[in-house]
Amino acid sequence: MENKKKSLILFSEINFRQVGHLFTIAMRYLITVLISISAVAFSYAQDDLALYEPTKADYDYWEYRRKMTVPPYGLDKVKGLIKKIEVKSDDNDDMGLSALSTADFKSLTLREKFTYTMIHPEVYSQNCDIRIMLPNEEQKVFAYLLSTLNEQTWSQRQLVFLRENRDSIMSYIEESTLRSKRMGVNYKDVIDEINGWEMIPFIITYFENNKKDKDALTLLLLLMKKGEYEEFLKSISYRKLYGQSYNYETYIDYNKANEELILQRAKGYFKEKSAVRK
Amino acid sequence: MQKIVLFLLSIGFTISSFAQDLDFVRIEEGTYTVGEEGAVLNPKRTVFVKEFNIATTELTNAEFLLFVEATGYRTTAERYGNAQVFEPGLEEFRWIQDSTAYWRFPNGVSRGGIVNKMDHPVTCISYRDAIAYCKWAEVRLPTFDEWEVAAKAGSTGKYFEGASEEKIEEYANIWHKEDHLKPDFSDGYMYTAPVKSFKANPWGLYDVLGNVFEFCEGRLPQDKGRKVAHARGGSWWCNRTSCAAFNTIFIGSVAPMASFSNLGFRVVRD
């Protein structure tokens, strides 16, 4: 159809003087011939369209952003329990999610529950969760994190568990991150979920040791947004990232100035929150 | 003179394109531009598609009922009680699992059924359910390229002619509030709308943006060999400040067994 429309324009530009007052039926036959000719010509004209081929670096960094951290706490036991509840279909295809029984879930220790929640989200995530890939992501600080896991997310009971035990959860994340030297997207997501502003100094130190992980800056932005930190809310960065037309593709450029600004504001936010708590 | 010629040409174009069937639009075989510059998963490129016929509307509850009555088919949500539903008050991207929800009660029994909504798109069906319907009805889902060619309707941009992210209200049932904490009836509908409630795209496809995400056939690099379902076009849930997926570029990902009240489909006939 696009070819047809293009041909219509060509036709009107070149031949309208000769066409004169043709009747509709006659026009259609003529159009068909011209469309066929121009369609061929147009298909060749399209060859010079810009094609963006994702580079290996694009894929690698995107994978890095979506990589999660597996907690070590009771891992073998938890994996064993998950294996028991997995449903396999005859054609070895997805048969849906399965969750531990209430009794089994309750029987886990706090640390084991944390491990289970981090590696086994119990419900599906929706079709438009954040999985978009953009070019040169390593040079961007995004407004949002990527969705945690493949087409899955935490159930209500898992969210309640995380929120009700936020102090313990924060200590596990710190301990595990120091151990693995990596803060996976699931950990960052939890910190945002439980509004773990107390972890800001830890996140800043983590970022300073892992400058590749720009999502640590995103996490700081999300915490300041969640806490409605006034200095951030009135900033140009806020308007650009979360203003009227933001969505999860929004980003600011990663550069020294933006990095310093985010870190400085996050420190200010932490100081303000800490003072209020005292 | 030039205007008259163009007008006559457009009449000829319209007749030859749309006189095939009341419910399907025939898309001519040809080379088309799809994708968008800078979109890694859907880069701008030219594709060749063979002739196909695509339904002018999303599949309705009435049409899905015929299938269920003829076959006794039980959907994924009915078998597993794992459907995800929405109600105002949830944080962004949060849904609730509701074991009472299935296509007859897309947001759970407590939020009402489809008795007076037979002309709405069927939802709360999984990709597997859509495939089962297609097999029975001897139709199929559109491929990524087919869906996008039909949705763009000759445009090479992110939207078909007449629509844009800012000017979408006339064409699509979407969520207009900044978040999902309170109900949004600003376009007349909080959940789905009857098909054809909004203006069609230039090729006569209704609700190609908004209303419900439409399952398509195709794979993305991130699938890595796993079977992942993909749906396109945005839905009544989508707003400008979350996913803004109501465009012709976005390709979503969802588990093949997942049932949501904003997931449906549109069929293709060869």
Side-chain angles (χ1 to χ4, degrees):
Chain A
M1 291 302 167
E2 183 182 312
N3 301 343
K4 284 185 176 180
K5 285 223 163 176
K6 180 78 175 179
S7 72
L8 297 184
I9 294 162
L10 290 173
F11 181 80
S12 66
E13 285 172 352
I14 298 165
N15 292 332
F16 79 94
R17 281 172 189 273
Q18 290 90 347
V19 171
H21 299 285
L22 288 175
F23 292 102
T24 304
I25 294 172
M27 288 289 292
R28 285 180 57 197
Y29 282 109
L30 185 56
I31 292 162
T32 306
V33 173
L34 289 167
I35 283 169
S36 306
I37 295 166
S38 62
V40 174
F42 188 57
S43 64
Y44 285 109
Q46 295 296 297
D47 286 345
D48 60 354
L49 277 174
L51 291 177
Y52 183 84
E53 284 293 333
T55 62
K56 185 176 181 304
D58 281 327
Y59 283 116
D60 287 350
Y61 187 68
W62 193 70
E63 287 297 335
Y64 177 81
R65 289 186 69 207
R66 68 201 291 260
K67 196 172 178 186
M68 60 175 200
T69 306
V70 178
Y73 316 116
L75 186 59
D76 289 343
K77 177 183 170 183
V78 171
K79 277 184 172 174
L81 288 169
I82 292 170
K83 199 167 185 179
K84 280 184 192 168
I85 56 172
E86 274 177 355
V87 185
K88 291 282 181 193
S89 71
D90 295 338
D91 57 2
N92 201 29
D93 210 341
D94 171 51
M95 280 298 286
L97 289 174
S98 47
L100 282 182
S101 68
T102 306
D104 281 346
F105 185 72
K106 279 184 177 173
S107 74
L108 296 175
T109 66
L110 213 56
R111 283 176 183 265
E112 288 165 350
K113 276 186 191 144
F114 175 66
T115 298
Y116 172 73
T117 301
M118 289 300 96
I119 68 172
H120 192 76
E122 292 179 332
V123 295
Y124 295 116
S125 58
Q126 67 167 333
N127 182 64
C128 55
D129 264 15
I130 308 171
R131 299 185 192 89
I132 294 286
M133 185 198 291
L134 296 175
N136 305 314
E137 290 195 349
E138 206 164 348
Q139 297 307 312
K140 296 174 170 65
V141 180
F142 286 94
Y144 288 95
L145 302 166
L146 283 176
S147 294
T148 301
L149 286 169
N150 293 326
E151 302 93 39
Q152 295 161 22
T153 190
W154 294 310
S155 66
Q156 195 57 30
R157 74 171 176 182
Q158 289 177 313
L159 288 170
V160 169
F161 159 72
L162 293 169
R163 288 171 189 151
E164 285 184 348
N165 298 282
R166 65 188 295 280
D167 289 348
S168 303
I169 300 301
M170 285 192 285
S171 72
Y172 301 157
I173 289 176
E174 283 196 16
E175 194 177 278
S176 174
T177 300
L178 289 171
R179 181 176 170 273
S180 64
K181 297 182 173 40
R182 171 93 179 97
M183 186 188 286
V185 66
N186 50 344
Y187 281 12
K188 296 189 188 91
D189 212 5
V190 172
I191 296 168
D192 179 38
E193 188 65 49
I194 63 177
N195 192 14
W197 62 268
E198 297 94 329
M199 292 188 71
I200 285 174
F202 181 82
I203 298 164
I204 290 172
T205 306
Y206 164 79
F207 173 72
E208 283 168 346
N209 293 322
N210 297 272
K211 292 253 175 169
K212 183 184 176 184
D213 194 350
K214 312 299 186 302
D215 278 344
L217 296 175
T218 297
L219 177 57
L220 294 172
L221 294 170
L222 288 169
L223 289 171
M224 288 191 281
K225 176 177 179 280
K226 187 161 262 181
E228 298 182 347
Y229 180 44
E230 199 178 338
E231 193 182 318
F232 180 49
L233 297 189
K234 67 186 182 189
S235 69
I236 294 169
S237 309
Y238 182 85
R239 284 201 296 279
K240 191 166 180 186
L241 288 164
Y242 309 106
Q244 282 294 312
S245 61
Y246 77 90
N247 60 60
Y248 59 40
E249 287 182 41
T250 317
Y251 63 87
I252 54 174
D253 291 334
Y254 172 72
N255 53 44
K256 197 67 192 164
N258 280 339
E259 176 191 315
E260 282 177 5
L261 202 56
I262 294 167
L263 296 178
Q264 183 193 350
R265 283 205 179 112
K267 285 173 187 169
Y269 172 55
F270 176 77
K271 197 174 171 184
E272 185 180 287
K273 287 286 280 184
S274 302
V276 170
R277 175 177 266 191
K278 283 173 188 169
Chain B
M1 174 62 77
Q2 190 172 15
K3 283 184 178 172
I4 295 168
V5 172
L6 280 172
F7 175 69
L8 292 172
L9 284 169
S10 61
I11 291 173
F13 169 76
T14 305
I15 293 169
S16 64
S17 298
F18 301 144
Q20 306 304 310
D21 192 300
L22 286 175
D23 301 313
F24 285 81
V25 170
R26 190 186 73 209
I27 308 296
E28 303 285 343
E29 177 176 295
T31 306
Y32 299 88
T33 301
V34 295
E36 183 186 36
E37 274 184 60
V40 175
L41 297 178
N42 190 8
K44 193 163 192 171
R45 64 200 185 279
T46 53
V47 296
F48 176 81
V49 296
K50 289 186 176 176
E51 180 185 296
F52 64 100
N53 302 288
I54 188 162
T56 56
T57 66
E58 291 156 342
L59 195 88
T60 63
N61 286 316
E63 288 157 336
F64 197 76
L65 175 65
L66 295 176
F67 161 58
V68 171
E69 286 183 340
T71 61
Y73 183 82
R74 292 182 71 231
T75 58
T76 309
E78 288 170 89
R79 284 182 289 142
Y80 295 98
N82 63 354
Q84 302 269 357
V85 307
F86 172 81
E87 66 177 12
L90 291 168
E91 287 180 27
E92 296 303 85
F93 299 106
R94 293 284 178 220
W95 291 63
I96 312 166
Q97 188 159 312
D98 187 330
S99 61
T100 70
Y102 68 110
W103 70 276
R104 288 182 194 270
F105 293 93
N107 284 287
V109 169
S110 65
R111 295 174 192 88
I114 58 160
V115 173
N116 298 315
K117 296 181 177 179
M118 297 310 286
D119 56 351
H120 286 229
V122 64
T123 62
C124 219
I125 44 100
S126 68
Y127 167 81
R128 293 293 177 77
D129 300 328
I131 293 298
Y133 173 88
C134 288
K135 194 173 175 185
W136 173 77
E138 296 181 337
V139 289
R140 62 179 175 82
L141 297 176
T143 64
F144 284 166
D145 289 345
E146 287 171 341
W147 184 91
E148 191 166 329
V149 165
K152 283 184 185 301
S155 162
T156 56
K158 200 169 183 175
Y159 293 85
F160 52 75
E161 194 179 327
S164 67
E165 186 171 330
E166 293 73 32
K167 195 183 165 192
I168 193 81
E169 289 82 2
E170 294 171 34
Y171 297 96
N173 171 24
I174 62 165
W175 194 272
H176 292 276
K177 287 188 185 294
E178 276 190 25
D179 56 40
H180 293 79
L181 298 176
K182 289 183 179 171
D184 175 29
F185 287 97
S186 53
D187 60 8
Y189 307 95
M190 184 172 78
Y191 293 119
T192 55
V195 296
K196 295 189 178 182
S197 295
F198 294 78
K199 282 165 73 174
N201 79 357
W203 288 359
L205 270 67
Y206 292 88
D207 307 304
V208 74
L209 304 181
N211 220 15
V212 295
F213 275 111
E214 300 173 9
F215 285 121
C216 293
E217 291 290 7
R219 289 184 177 251
L220 294 177
Q222 69 208 50
D223 297 348
K224 291 181 172 175
R226 299 175 303 122
K227 181 59 195 171
V228 179
H230 299 289
R232 307 190 65 179
S235 76
W236 55 261
W237 183 92
C238 302
N239 60 0
R240 292 180 178 85
T241 51
S242 58
C243 60
F246 39 83
N247 60 63
T248 66
I249 303 300
F250 181 86
I251 304 175
S253 300
V254 69
M257 299 285 275
S259 306
F260 282 80
S261 58
N262 68 341
L263 277 176
F265 63 107
R266 175 189 306 266
V267 299
V268 159
R269 204 171 60 191
D270 288 317

